[in-house]
Amino acid sequence: MNAYFPQRRHRRNRRRPTVRALVQETRVQVQDLIQPLFVRDGTGAPEPIESMPGMYRYPLPALVEECGRIADLGIPAVALFPQIATAHKDAVGRHVREDQNILYRALRAVKAAQPGLWLIADVALDPYTDHGHDGLLTADRDDVDNDATLEVLTELAVREAAAGADWVAPSDMMDGRVAAIRSALDSADHAATGILAYAAKFASAYYGPFREAVGSQTAVTGAPPLDKSTYQLNPANRREAVNDALLDEREGADALMVKPAGPYLDVLQTLRQRTDLPLAAYQVSGEYAQIHAAARLKWLDYTAIRDESLLAIKRAGADMILTYFAAEWAAEQA
Ligand code: PBG
C-alpha cells in the first residue's frame, strides 16, 4: 500500500475560526461604508420604496434624524438624492437654480445637525428634468447636449457645495464635467469641496428601483423606460471604462467610482491597478433589490449573501462602498 500524501496542505490555514481570522485578507469595516438616502418635499412619515425594502423617501425632519442615527453608528458619509416634485420639473432643469430646492435644504439641515458627517451630493439633472435624462436635450430632442448640460451641472455643483456638500459626485457621464466642475468650484471659493467622480458608470438595468425612488424611471409624460446609452458606458466595454475613468483623474477628481459594483468587479480590479486615487464602488438599487427578492423567496440566505456581496466588492479593490445595506450592516456589528 503506497499512501499518497499531498505535499502542500492549504487546509491547515482553514482548520479553526482563529486561524481563518488571522489569514483573512479582506475585511469590511463600518468606516468603509456610505449610506445613500432619499429626501422628498413635504412633511409626514417617510414613504417606503417598494422595490427597496427598508429604504424610504424621507421628509426633512426624518432625514435629519436618520442621519443622526447613521453618524452614531460610525458610518462616515451619506449620499443624498432628492425626489423633486413633478411640478418643479421641466425640460432644462430650472429648479437647479431655486434656493428652496429640497436637496439644498437637506444639505443645509444635515450639515447643521451633523457637522461631522461627510456629505455627498449627486451632480446630474435627472431628478429635475421632465424627460428624465441626466442633461439637456439637443434641439431635435434626439440626444443629450453635452456642453449645454455642463453649464447647468456646474451651477448645481456650486450650489450643492454652498449648501454644505463635502464631495460633489457627478453621475451624469458628460464629457469634460470633472474639469468644468473643478474650475467652477474653485472660482466660487469652494476649493475645499472635493469631487467623487462616477468615473465608470454603466448604462445598466440595475438602476430600476432607484429610478422608481426618485421618480425618473420614465419621462413625466410616461414614455418607455429611458435609454441612457449615448452617455453611460456600454456594459461590454472594460477598456473604454478604464480610459474614461482615468480621464476623470486627469481632470481633477479626488476619488473615482465604479457603478454598479457586483457585476463590474473586473472593472474595479483593473482600475485599482491603474490609479492611486481612492476608489469607491456603488452597490446599486438593483443589486440590493435582487438580494432582498431572493431572500423573500427563501432561495438565498439574506445575511450571508449580503455580507458576501460586500466582501467581494472590497476584495476587488474598493476603498469605500456606497450601499443601501450600510446602516443595517453597521448596526449588526455593534
Ligand atoms: C442619477 C443616478 C442614478 C443612480 C445614481 N445616480 C440613476 C441613473 O443614472 O439612471 C442609480 C443608483 C442606484 O440604482 O442605486 N444619474
Side-chain angles (χ1 to χ4, degrees):
M1 265 288 288
N2 228 346
Y4 169 72
F5 298 109
Q7 299 223 316
R8 299 280 305 126
R9 292 186 185 269
H10 289 282
R11 289 185 57 200
R12 279 194 284 261
N13 283 349
R14 299 177 203 142
R15 278 183 67 222
R16 298 279 183 268
T18 43
V19 70
R20 288 199 294 273
L22 289 171
V23 304
Q24 179 157 335
E25 300 172 27
T26 307
R27 285 191 171 82
V28 177
Q29 297 178 293
V30 175
Q31 297 97 303
D32 304 327
L33 303 179
I34 298 169
Q35 176 72 53
L37 292 171
F38 300 102
V39 59
R40 66 170 174 87
D41 255 319
T43 50
E47 282 171 13
I49 299 161
E50 204 192 330
S51 52
M52 302 177 72
M55 294 296 114
Y56 300 85
R57 299 181 199 92
Y58 292 97
L60 250 194
L63 178 82
V64 171
E65 200 182 309
E66 179 65 4
C67 287
R69 193 175 75 87
I70 287 167
D72 289 345
L73 286 167
I75 294 174
V78 295
L80 298 184
F81 298 94
Q83 182 200 36
I84 301 295
T86 307
H88 293 317
K89 297 190 187 194
D90 60 28
V92 293
R94 275 192 199 85
H95 195 61
V96 162
R97 300 195 157 83
E98 176 52 64
D99 194 49
Q100 284 309 300
N101 176 337
I102 184 64
L103 176 66
Y104 306 147
R105 281 162 51 210
L107 288 166
R108 288 192 290 261
V110 175
K111 183 51 101 190
Q114 298 296 334
L117 197 58
W118 196 251
L119 290 187
I120 304 173
D122 230 47
V123 185
L125 301 185
D126 52 314
Y128 303 100
T129 54
D130 54 12
H131 44 73
H133 278 291
D134 291 22
L136 311 188
L137 300 184
T138 51
D140 58 9
R141 293 181 65 83
D142 189 40
D143 198 1
V144 169
D145 183 335
N146 194 89
D147 298 7
T149 298
L150 292 184
E151 287 176 35
V152 191
L153 291 178
T154 52
E155 167 116 26
L156 175 58
V158 168
R159 285 176 177 272
E160 288 172 345
D166 298 295
W167 271 349
V168 295
S171 70
D172 55 287
M173 292 302 280
M174 294 303 118
D175 287 328
R177 77 262 163 83
V178 172
I181 290 170
R182 185 67 271 157
S183 140
L185 288 172
D186 291 349
S187 331
D189 223 8
H190 293 300
T193 306
I195 300 177
L196 166 63
Y198 282 71
K201 174 168 178 178
F202 289 87
S204 169
Y206 282 91
Y207 308 147
F210 173 98
R211 291 182 191 171
E212 179 204 315
V214 300
S216 69
Q217 173 70 300
T218 61
V220 168
T221 49
L226 289 169
D227 179 1
K228 300 191 177 182
S229 45
T230 72
Y231 43 107
Q232 298 179 348
L233 291 159
N234 182 344
N237 292 0
R238 181 172 57 218
R239 291 195 307 267
E240 183 187 357
V242 170
N243 227 347
D244 200 329
L246 293 176
L247 180 58
D248 286 353
E249 169 168 9
R250 291 196 294 279
E251 288 186 16
D254 298 280
L256 303 179
M257 189 201 296
V258 173
K259 171 188 178 189
Y264 295 89
L265 293 185
D266 58 324
V267 177
L268 198 56
Q269 185 191 20
T270 305
L271 205 49
R272 176 69 296 162
Q273 291 158 354
R274 301 277 305 272
T275 181
D276 290 322
L277 283 183
L279 267 187
Y282 196 149
Q283 184 181 49
V284 300
S285 57
E287 300 178 75
Y288 181 80
Q290 248 179 355
I291 290 174
H292 271 280
R296 271 192 189 181
L297 287 165
K298 301 197 175 11
W299 286 355
L300 290 173
D301 175 344
Y302 175 74
T303 309
I305 212 78
R306 177 197 67 189
D307 294 359
E308 187 176 331
S309 73
L310 294 172
L311 194 61
I313 294 166
K314 280 238 34 204
R315 191 197 61 237
D319 298 299
M320 58 197 118
I321 308 175
L322 292 95
T323 172
Y324 299 98
F325 293 121
E328 169 191 302
W329 188 89
E332 287 174 26
Q333 313 309 304

